[in-house]
């Protein structure tokens, strides 16, 4: 099988595919138009997020058997068209779920204990113990929206904190020993913290908005390590201002990559984003929750294992 790699990844990915008998080819620089002219030559495609794999692109990939997405989400691929054309989609949420769980927990602990605020004040010569009095997770009710690989990993990290964990998911029967699955009404009645772990789909786009936020009976803390476009930023900021949301840890934003950098180059920052940067009860990170030294290796190994399981027998 000839496999085209469009993004750099851990060397274990290429070496693992080679060990299976695949022929690796690498193209990290050519434009999408150029790649479209040669994609028909390949049986497999390895991508992260370099460009959108749409119907037009896939229609030219006449020999493609699989796409390995080195990450969890598949929103940059036309999933329906791929399935209709018997192209297997192999993603790797198993590879970075632990990293995401740890990052979400780290954000929660940082918010509760005002670590960023305290650090900045110390660096500016201010010693304020009372103003940095923190909160404990013990006794709180943590709510997880989306209980797949990432949500389960986060809940697992909460074992030992003596808190209650509730999960809400459109799929039934996903609760486990680490989180009790409940309906949305009980979820919105009880939780003190909301951690979002949903994929990007038409149903989740803009789901965290004013109407949704106002259905919660208590002010809550918000963590998002999922997708930025699931949150209406202006509505989040309004909730922070009204103290309906007490603080937020955001690893993802609706402004990402080139759109984010262009905002700074042009000097036209949206008011909502400027607010997030200015307040001390918000922590921002650049979409790195699943981006660890260990997860880079695990993601590669996961894709190799799935290619082996789907296209090579156990003796390969």
């Amino acid at each position: 099988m000839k496999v085209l790699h469009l993004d750099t990844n851990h060397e274990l990915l290429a070496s693992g595919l080679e060990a299976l008998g695949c022929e690796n080819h690498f193209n990290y620089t050519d434009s999408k138009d150029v790649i479209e002219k040669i994609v028909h030559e390949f049986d497999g495609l390895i991508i992260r997020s370099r460009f959108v794999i749409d119907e037009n692109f896939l229609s030219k990939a006449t020999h493609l058997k699989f796409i390995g997405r080195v990450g969890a989400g598949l929103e940059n691929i036309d999933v329906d068209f791929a399935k209709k054309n018997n192209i297997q989609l192999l993603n790797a949420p198993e590879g970075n779920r632990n990293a995401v769980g740890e990052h979400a927990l780290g954000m929660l602990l940082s918010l509760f204990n005002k670590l960023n605020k305290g650090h900045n004040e110390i660096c500016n010569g201010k010693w304020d113990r009372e103003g940095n009095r923190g909160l404990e997770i013990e006794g709180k009710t943590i709510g997880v929206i989306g209980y797949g690989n990432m949500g389960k990993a986060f809940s697992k990290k909460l074992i030992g904190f003596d808190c209650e964990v509730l999960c809400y998911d459109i799929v039934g029967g996903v609760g486990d020993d680490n989180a009790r699955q409940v309906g949305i009404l009980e979820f919105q009645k009880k939780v003190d913290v909301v951690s979002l772990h949903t994929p990007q789909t038409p149903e989740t786009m803009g789901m965290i908005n004013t109407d949704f936020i106002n259905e919660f009976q208590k002010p809550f803390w918000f963590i998002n390590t999922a997708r930025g476009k699931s949150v209406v930023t202006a509505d989040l900021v309004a909730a922070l201002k009204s103290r309906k949301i007490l603080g937020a840890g955001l690893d993802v934003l609706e402004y990402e990559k080139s759109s984010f950098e262009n905002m700074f180059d042009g000097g036209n920052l949206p008011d909502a984003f400027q607010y997030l940067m200015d307040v001390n009860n918000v922590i921002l990170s650049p979409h790195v929750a699943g981006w660890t030294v260990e997860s880079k290796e695990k993601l590669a190994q996961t894709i190799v294992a799935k290619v082996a399981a789907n296209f090579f027998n156990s003796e390969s």
Side-chain angles (χ1 to χ4, degrees):
M1 297 178 74
K2 293 178 66 176
V3 180
L4 178 61
H5 299 248
L6 296 178
D7 290 288
T8 59
N9 289 290
H10 196 284
E11 61 186 15
L12 286 176
L13 181 47
S15 62
L17 292 177
E18 183 178 356
L20 291 173
C22 295
E23 181 182 306
N24 290 304
H25 296 260
F26 307 91
N27 191 320
Y28 304 147
T29 57
D30 282 340
S31 69
K32 184 178 179 181
D33 290 340
V34 171
I35 301 296
E36 284 180 353
K37 293 181 173 64
I38 61 171
V39 70
H40 66 276
E41 301 173 10
F42 297 95
D43 304 289
L45 204 62
I46 301 295
I47 65 164
R48 291 203 318 265
S49 304
R50 184 169 153 199
F51 49 69
V52 174
I53 308 297
D54 53 22
E55 179 177 341
N56 183 63
F57 183 92
L58 290 174
S59 66
K60 296 176 171 59
T62 51
H63 290 92
L64 201 61
K65 297 179 177 64
F66 75 87
I67 300 173
R69 161 74 169 101
V70 188
L74 294 171
E75 65 269 16
N76 60 328
I77 302 172
D78 189 325
V79 174
D80 292 336
F81 187 84
K83 289 181 177 178
K84 287 177 185 176
N85 288 273
N86 298 314
I87 300 170
Q88 293 203 40
L89 302 179
L90 311 175
N91 61 335
E94 304 91 342
N96 61 359
R97 60 189 175 190
N98 183 71
V100 171
E102 289 191 6
H103 194 96
L105 178 58
M107 283 189 146
L108 179 57
L109 288 167
S110 294
L111 287 168
F112 269 25
N113 292 283
K114 303 181 181 178
L115 297 185
N116 281 24
K117 175 176 178 288
H119 171 84
N120 290 334
E121 289 177 356
I122 288 288
C123 292
N124 286 285
K126 183 178 181 180
W127 187 271
D128 178 15
R129 296 182 68 204
E130 187 58 39
N132 287 291
R133 189 182 290 274
L135 296 171
E136 298 177 17
I137 295 177
E138 181 180 359
K140 304 295 189 298
T141 300
I142 314 298
V144 180
I145 299 180
Y147 207 62
N149 280 282
M150 308 305 171
K152 288 178 184 292
F154 176 56
S155 296
K156 184 178 179 181
K157 304 303 174 193
L158 293 167
I159 297 173
F161 280 93
D162 295 323
C163 60
E164 181 181 20
V165 183
L166 305 179
C167 65
Y168 171 75
D169 198 296
I170 58 173
V171 178
V174 297
D176 56 21
D177 291 342
N178 301 327
R180 179 169 63 90
Q181 187 169 11
V182 297
I184 191 62
L185 295 180
E186 182 176 354
F187 187 93
Q188 291 175 321
K189 178 181 179 180
K190 292 184 174 180
V191 300
D192 302 294
V193 175
V194 173
S195 188
L196 190 63
H197 298 277
T198 52
Q200 183 172 304
T201 67
E203 292 74 27
T204 63
M205 295 278 281
M207 66 179 289
I208 309 299
N209 56 32
T210 296
D211 290 342
F212 185 80
I213 292 167
N214 286 340
E215 292 297 322
F216 286 81
Q217 294 194 17
K218 297 189 287 185
F220 62 93
W221 300 80
F222 180 66
I223 307 292
N224 186 12
T225 55
R227 288 294 183 263
K229 291 182 180 179
S230 293
V231 179
V232 180
T233 308
D235 291 0
L236 171 65
V237 167
L240 285 164
K241 288 180 177 179
S242 70
R243 299 290 290 170
K244 183 69 178 180
I245 292 180
L246 300 172
L250 307 174
D251 179 57
V252 287
L253 299 161
E254 62 177 287
Y255 334 98
E256 293 214 13
K257 287 190 173 179
S258 59
S259 63
F260 173 80
E261 292 162 357
N262 290 340
M263 287 193 306
F264 282 83
D265 291 340
N268 296 314
L269 294 177
D271 291 342
F273 182 61
Q274 185 67 58
Y275 179 87
L276 296 177
M277 291 194 300
D278 289 343
V279 295
N280 57 30
N281 62 335
V282 172
I283 297 174
L284 305 173
S285 59
H287 201 158
V288 292
W291 205 254
T292 64
V293 172
E294 293 85 355
S295 72
K296 186 176 183 180
E297 183 172 337
K298 292 176 187 176
L299 287 165
Q301 292 170 330
T302 300
I303 294 297
V304 172
K306 290 187 176 183
V307 172
N310 282 275
F311 297 101
F312 297 87
N313 62 44
S314 58
E315 297 177 355
S316 297

